[in-house]
Amino acid sequence: MSHVRVERYEHVARVTLDRSAKRNAMSSDVAAELTAAFLALADADDLRVVVLSGEGPSFCGGADVKELAALTPETADSFIRGLHAAIAAAMTCPVPVIAAIRGACVGAGLELVAGCDMRIATYDAHFSMPEVKIGVPSVIEAALLPRLMGRGKAARMVLTGETIDAQTAFNWGLVEELVSADDLMFRAGALAAEIAEADPLAIRAQKRLIRAWDDMTIEQAVEASVREFADSYRTSAPRDRLAAAMAGRK
């Protein structure tokens, strides 16, 4: 039985963690399915944006507890690398990925949304990195958290394991928008539709730059941006869209 559901709506894909009985917990199998789903979407030339969500009242309750309890030093290595592969597949997806977060977003689930490009959460969402409470450190994409909300706040989350509510997550910069549960998928869909209206090659170029900027100096980022800007004129899109915009103003 598959625990990751992929649906297509023209240029938009919706990827859903579909294991609600277990709060969409991330097992090795779920991680492998999620990796495969994003790698398949990466090959879809007509894709423009992905919305990632969880089935039921929780986004993701973290790593599968039963699997965690049975790990050895050898299997722990392969388990955590499997989770990393799933998050990396979402991060390197060539189009933007929007996380639509409801309810619990814990541990591996929080690392997954940290790897997305944008995050919308419901008012009842809550976030935590409780790994230290069970005897392990927060690892892999927990390393993204300081970039989102600053080193001090990230350190507080991973060192205390405390749970923060949606308003705190918004205030700290962990999520960009808060909505009601009834409006979550509507707002995520509206944001996806707005992105899908932009030039598809420009969106992919912008996604490449956003990710590349993380590892660059300002000078390197400027140079990379100049190359992407110049390359965009290898197609007629800038001229065509500018001509249409000017015609509309007239």
Side-chain angles (χ1 to χ4, degrees):
M1 178 181 176
S2 175
H3 293 301
V4 175
R5 190 171 72 250
V6 179
E7 301 161 288
R8 283 293 305 268
Y9 305 95
E10 295 185 352
H11 299 299
V12 179
R14 180 176 175 184
V15 176
T16 306
L17 299 175
D18 192 6
R19 199 189 182 199
S20 58
K22 298 291 186 180
R23 295 202 307 166
N24 302 317
M26 292 280 284
S27 64
S28 293
D29 289 343
V30 173
E33 290 179 35
L34 190 61
T35 302
F38 272 104
L39 291 180
L41 289 172
D43 291 331
D45 292 337
D46 62 334
L47 184 66
R48 298 188 186 179
V49 61
V50 177
V51 176
L52 174 64
S53 63
E55 185 65 32
S58 293
F59 176 79
C60 177
D64 186 281
V65 176
K66 287 186 178 180
E67 192 167 355
L68 283 177
L71 293 177
T72 66
E74 294 74 27
T75 58
D77 184 279
S78 59
F79 174 79
I80 202 66
R81 289 185 187 278
L83 293 187
H84 166 63
I87 301 169
M91 287 182 64
T92 58
C93 183
V95 300
V97 180
I98 303 167
I101 308 155
R102 180 181 179 185
C105 184
V106 178
L110 180 47
E111 292 163 28
L112 177 58
V113 302
C116 295
D117 299 291
M118 288 159 280
R119 288 149 292 275
I120 301 175
T122 58
Y123 293 113
D124 67 347
H126 49 278
F127 305 82
S128 64
M129 295 294 292
E131 286 83 355
V132 292
K133 292 187 174 182
I134 63 167
V136 297
S138 296
V139 293
I140 55 174
E141 275 67 28
L144 298 171
L145 295 177
R147 301 177 186 180
L148 289 174
M149 53 183 169
R151 185 180 184 277
K153 296 181 181 69
R156 176 172 166 172
M157 288 199 74
V158 299
L159 290 172
T160 67
E162 70 178 312
T163 298
I164 62 171
D165 60 21
Q167 188 61 56
T168 301
F170 177 78
N171 293 343
W172 286 5
L174 181 57
V175 300
E176 291 79 50
E177 184 176 353
L178 298 179
V179 298
S180 69
D182 290 340
D183 288 339
L184 178 62
M185 297 315 298
F186 172 78
R187 283 295 304 135
L191 182 57
E194 186 175 355
I195 293 171
E197 289 178 359
D199 180 71
L201 294 180
I203 286 296
R204 288 178 178 239
Q206 195 67 72
K207 169 74 182 266
R208 286 194 299 272
L209 284 172
I210 289 171
R211 288 302 176 192
W213 288 340
D214 285 340
D215 301 316
M216 292 179 172
T217 65
I218 293 297
E219 291 77 11
Q220 291 169 333
V222 168
E223 186 58 34
S225 302
V226 168
R227 291 195 299 271
E228 290 282 7
F229 180 84
D231 284 346
S232 68
Y233 281 87
R234 296 182 185 277
T235 74
S236 64
R239 290 179 288 274
D240 293 344
R241 286 180 174 252
L242 284 168
M246 289 188 289
R249 288 179 184 176
K250 292 179 182 179

